[in-house]
Amino acid sequence: MIALIIRRSYQSVVVMLVVALLAFTMFRYVGDPVSMMVGQDTSLEQREAMRVSLGLKDPVPVQFARFVMNTAQGEFGISYQLGRPVAEILSERVPATLELSLVAALFAMLVGIPMGVYTALHPQKWLSKAFLTISLVGISLPTFLIGILLILFFGVLLNWLPTFGRGEVVMLGGWSTGFLSGSGVKSLLMPAFTLGMFQLTLIMRLVRSEMMEVLLTDYIKFARARGLSNKAVNFGHALKNTLVPVITITGLQIGNIVAFATITESVFQWPGVGLMFIQAIGLVDIPIMSAYLVLVALFFVIINLIVDILYHVVDPRLRVDGSGAHG
Amino acid sequence: MTAAARTVEGGGIDMNFISRTQDTLHRFLDGDVWYSFTQSRITIVAAIVTIILVGASVLAPFISIHDPFNPVNLNLMDSFTPPVWSEDGRWAFPLGSDDQGRDLYSTILYGSRLSLFIGFASVAFSMSLGVSLGLIAGYLGGSVDAFIMRVADIQISFPGILIALLIDGLARALLPGESHDEVMVYVLILAIGLSQWVNFARTVRGSTMVERNKEYVQAARVIGVSRLFIMVRHIMPNVMGPVLVIATISLAVAILSEAALSFLGVGVPPTQPSLGTLIRIGQDFLFSGEWWIVIFPGMTLAALVLAVNLLGDWLRDALNPKLR
């Protein structure tokens, strides 16, 4: 187990270094950092002085090492467009994205898993067929279109819910939360539904197909033959064994939620890191782009690590296999 | 040999070709794939929808009312005309017009043309890249395989849309501003294609590793056929079945990715709108009641993606020998 964690952590560090190298290359070679930071009337001497003070004259490996050190300490440089430290902008915007993603993920899981179980247990009932049709539409409708349709109905026609922003936020230490105010919760509903919808259909279809497969296995037949109640068989035996792949995929999907948050945030003008990234691409604000890249990569690497470990905790077969094969 | 004899011989080959084509057609119509197609009503509907949408976008210059890219045809007085069945609707604009007075019906035709072009081109790109790398990794094995698959592992742990966004953003930063509009379409194809090659490579690598040890490959090796020839002519035809399924599903994903990127404003330029760009334009007018600019392109996009997804689902089941 410890060997596994160490091996996986080592891989994660390699991935992070590759991403850091990519971010560094972007920062260093896409456009000239100095001319991005100074105005047009800066003299050549001043530019040269700035180049030296920024360390752009040092050997490239030294620059990269410094970049990694700074990044590891949360120093991402200064945004070209806003003229403020990227770390400061990030810390303002991360709470918005995390709250949105968390609610979306919970919504997808709490609704998706029961729907999947129901459709697997009663494949012929009309409600199952309705769920499956909805899921097909959910996969084919682009996220942004769902968002726009919601805005059209609940925002424009019915005027029930706010269509943009986070509403009122309350500061808890350095963390701004929308959970504590009425308008904050109301603003969260539509974006979270939009973001969670695609994951919901994915989880539902996954649970359904896994569960149907498990229900055909011999041990389920045996459990029924033993006279166990339907509830014990379906939930105690079948669902438990279904959850292993569901955990993996759902875990990996949390990363996807953060990625798709860029689109949802853009539809609802949600002030999170995704919207910041989109704006940075439009304005070619490299420090923000590379900071977002590093941050998202870190998030993904951590999630992958947790999912891998969780996988081994949940499935005892892997534990035996792992220690046997790798000593 | 006289000229007449040559003509006769040429004619013979021609006849041969026709009857061979007929044979192939008969075999296809008798085969499992066609049978399962005729048995699934929803697949037939999906195929018809796909054919109509693809056909309409190919024929866009002939069946559209005007060319929405030509400013001569546009009149700002016509902007925000509602669809023809509402009160102020006019037959000149069956589905209404947008903020620049472009007929929405024509713009959707041209927009789906662009969306489909980018979709097909990026799938072709990611397919050729993924299949080549998969063949190389599977056939050569060793450190080449390890390297390609490590890269694939790293890439697949990040969502495609982020990778496409990143490549797109980098291209924007690297290219000079004036050339953006012309090259953006190709940048998009590259970005979406690069974000999707992994699925192809993984599948092809897996089946190549199985095929590599079969006797026909060993026989080819023994008689001294080059590695490239073995990979392309012997192994590739035998591993393409699953590739077809992935390509269909990738097409749906690629069309969606293009729409998402254009919607985010980092895709094709607004002067040459794709379906995603149209939805982006329409979103600005949602609050003032001009719903048709969003709804019609949105429905077209959804119908297209749904139809392609259904075809992909069916193809996966039809080509899967386990389910027969």
Side-chain angles (χ1 to χ4, degrees), chain B residues 21-22 30 50 56 77 105-106 111 119 188-189 229 242 277 300 302 324:
Chain B
T21 319
Q22 275 173 342
D30 279 343
T50 313
M77 296 297 285
Y105 161 72
S106 312
L188 269 179
I189 293 173
F229 195 85
T277 327
T300 315
R324 271 189 206 151

Side-chain angles (χ1 to χ4, degrees), chain A:
Chain A
M1 191 67 197
I2 292 168
L4 170 91
I5 295 176
I6 292 173
R7 200 168 57 236
R8 292 291 307 169
S9 311
Y10 167 73
Q11 279 177 8
S12 311
V13 170
V14 172
V15 172
M16 282 314 293
L17 279 178
V18 172
V19 172
L21 185 63
L22 198 69
F24 170 72
T25 318
M26 259 166 65
F27 179 69
R28 184 65 190 78
Y29 296 105
V30 179
D32 177 15
V34 170
S35 50
M36 288 288 204
M37 284 183 223
V38 297
Q40 292 213 324
D41 50 349
T42 316
S43 69
L44 277 178
E45 291 79 47
Q46 283 172 310
R47 282 173 194 245
E48 205 61 14
M50 193 161 175
R51 220 170 270 278
V52 173
S53 77
L54 284 172
L56 294 175
K57 289 273 179 177
D58 295 342
V60 173
V62 174
Q63 289 186 36
F64 178 56
R66 194 185 303 128
F67 180 83
V68 172
M69 288 304 289
N70 285 341
T71 307
Q73 292 167 18
E75 290 287 332
F76 295 103
I78 292 167
S79 157
Y80 293 160
Q81 296 294 330
L82 302 169
R84 293 168 52 204
V86 176
E88 204 180 294
I89 305 173
L90 276 179
S91 67
E92 284 170 15
R93 289 186 160 236
V94 162
T97 298
L98 282 186
E99 279 186 0
L100 175 63
S101 308
L102 182 76
V103 174
L106 282 178
F107 163 69
M109 273 188 276
L110 294 180
V111 181
I113 294 178
M115 272 167 85
V117 171
Y118 182 84
T119 46
L121 292 179
H122 312 284
Q124 295 307 323
K125 289 208 177 152
W126 67 268
L127 192 58
S128 304
K129 287 180 182 161
F131 281 166
L132 283 178
T133 315
I134 293 171
S135 84
L136 202 60
V137 176
I139 281 183
S140 300
L141 269 186
T143 318
F144 56 90
L145 200 58
I146 296 180
I148 288 175
L149 292 179
L150 286 177
I151 290 182
L152 185 60
F153 280 109
F154 295 105
V156 179
L157 295 180
L158 297 171
N159 213 356
W160 284 354
L161 296 170
T163 54
F164 65 91
R166 284 183 83 189
E168 229 173 286
V169 290
V170 180
M171 293 299 289
L172 289 179
W175 186 277
S176 62
T177 177
F179 290 147
L180 296 177
S181 70
S183 69
V185 173
K186 265 173 124 180
S187 315
L188 190 62
L189 289 179
M190 286 204 291
F193 180 84
T194 309
L195 187 55
M197 189 61 198
F198 182 78
Q199 314 300 330
L200 184 153
T201 54
L202 216 65
I203 291 175
M204 181 195 125
R205 294 180 136 228
L206 182 75
V207 170
R208 174 175 173 271
S209 65
E210 289 291 332
M211 185 104 174
M212 285 174 99
E213 215 159 275
V214 169
L215 284 175
L216 292 176
T217 52
D218 288 341
Y219 71 87
I220 295 293
K221 282 182 200 149
F222 183 63
R224 288 203 198 285
R226 271 160 62 205
L228 293 180
S229 69
N230 269 339
K231 200 172 132 198
V233 175
N234 291 342
F235 295 97
H237 294 247
L239 185 61
K240 246 188 194 168
N241 282 293
T242 310
L243 285 181
V244 178
V246 174
I247 288 174
T248 334
I249 306 271
T250 313
L252 296 177
Q253 286 303 320
I254 291 179
N256 265 333
I257 287 184
V258 170
F260 279 104
T262 49
I263 298 174
T264 311
E265 285 178 9
S266 177
V267 176
F268 292 96
Q269 293 297 305
W270 188 263
V273 280
L275 187 61
M276 176 193 80
F277 180 56
I278 298 292
Q279 286 164 347
I281 287 183
L283 299 166
V284 197
D285 198 338
I286 302 285
I288 288 194
M289 280 165 70
S290 62
Y292 180 80
L293 181 69
V294 171
L295 202 70
V296 169
L298 183 69
F299 191 70
F300 269 83
V301 161
I302 292 175
I303 285 179
N304 281 347
L305 194 64
I306 294 175
V307 166
D308 260 14
I309 293 169
L310 215 58
Y311 207 32
H312 282 249
V313 173
V314 174
D315 194 341
R317 283 169 300 183
L318 283 177
R319 246 174 289 162
V320 176
D321 212 34
S323 57
H326 302 283

Side-chain angles (χ1 to χ4, degrees), chain B residues 110-138:
Chain B
Y110 278 92
S112 2
R113 194 178 157 99
L114 191 61
S115 294
L116 277 167
F117 170 69
I118 294 176
F120 276 115
S122 59
V123 169
F125 173 60
S126 61
M127 188 162 88
S128 23
L129 185 70
V131 171
S132 327
L133 287 176
L135 276 172
I136 292 171

